[in-house]
Amino acid sequence: MISKVVNRDIDTVFDWYYHSENFTASPIVFKSKWREPKYWEKGAIRDIVMIARWYNEEITKVVTGKKIDYRVNQSFPPVQQDFTEISFESIHDNKTKVTWIIDIEVPASFMTKQMTAFGGFMAKNLYGTIMNASKRKLETSAH
C-alpha cells in the first residue's frame, strides 16, 4: 500500500486516475490504452506498457469519487494480481489522499516468497511514479 496527498479536490484527482491514459505522465509508463468497446467502467480492459513490463488489466468496480478496483488478467513477466484498489479520500483545505493497495504474487518455480517481495517492491516503485506524476500534473495545472 502506498499513499500520497494531492493538493486538488477529490473530483479532479479521481478523474485523473479514472482516465488511466494519464498514467503515461510517469517517465516509466509508455502506454495505457483501453480496448474497445468499454472505457473506464466495470468490465473495461486496458493494456499498460511500462519499462520491462506489460499488464492486461480489467476494471472490476468503480465507485465514482471513492475508488477504482481492478485485477491483472495477464502480464509479462507473469504476476498474479487479483485485487488492486485506488481509493480517494477528501481531506481538509481541498486536498485529496490517494491510496493504492496492491495484492501481488509472483509465481516462480523457486524462491516464490523472495520473488513476490521483489515484485511488491517493484510495484510500489511503479505506482509511486504514477502518483508523483499525478501530483506534479494536477498541482501545476491548478495555478
Side-chain angles (χ1 to χ4, degrees):
M1 177 175 72
I2 54 175
S3 296
K4 184 156 300 276
V5 173
V6 180
N7 295 317
R8 288 298 298 269
D9 64 280
I10 196 167
D11 293 333
T12 301
V13 176
F14 178 86
D15 190 60
W16 193 92
Y17 282 87
Y18 187 56
H19 292 89
S20 60
E21 51 274 20
N22 289 319
F23 294 179
T24 59
S26 162
I28 65 171
V29 178
F30 306 124
K31 176 182 168 185
S32 179
K33 185 172 178 166
W34 294 96
R35 293 187 180 188
E36 295 183 22
K38 292 183 177 182
Y39 300 89
W40 313 297
E41 61 189 67
K42 182 179 179 181
I45 306 282
R46 65 184 174 209
D47 289 302
I48 308 264
V49 178
M50 63 203 73
I51 207 164
R53 287 217 170 293
W54 162 75
Y55 291 107
N56 173 270
E57 301 174 338
E58 179 180 350
I59 303 300
T60 56
K61 186 173 189 175
V62 176
V63 180
T64 304
K66 300 273 186 213
K67 70 178 185 169
I68 303 164
D69 294 351
Y70 65 93
R71 71 171 163 247
V72 173
N73 292 328
Q74 294 178 288
S75 66
F76 181 82
V79 298
Q80 184 173 346
Q81 200 168 325
D82 294 330
F83 175 80
T84 304
E85 178 180 279
I86 310 169
S87 63
F88 306 86
E89 178 186 351
S90 184
I91 55 177
H92 63 85
D93 297 331
N94 212 29
K95 296 177 182 178
T96 303
K97 181 180 179 184
V98 181
T99 302
W100 213 318
I101 299 170
I102 307 140
D103 182 15
I104 188 169
E105 184 177 323
V106 178
S109 56
F110 66 98
M111 295 178 39
T112 301
K113 187 175 180 179
Q114 293 86 348
M115 295 299 287
T116 295
F118 181 70
F121 170 78
M122 294 301 292
K124 284 182 179 182
N125 284 314
L126 161 68
Y127 297 132
T129 69
I130 295 170
M131 293 176 100
N132 289 339
S134 76
K135 184 173 177 66
R136 185 176 58 252
K137 291 281 187 181
L138 291 169
E139 291 180 358
T140 301
S141 68
H143 298 85

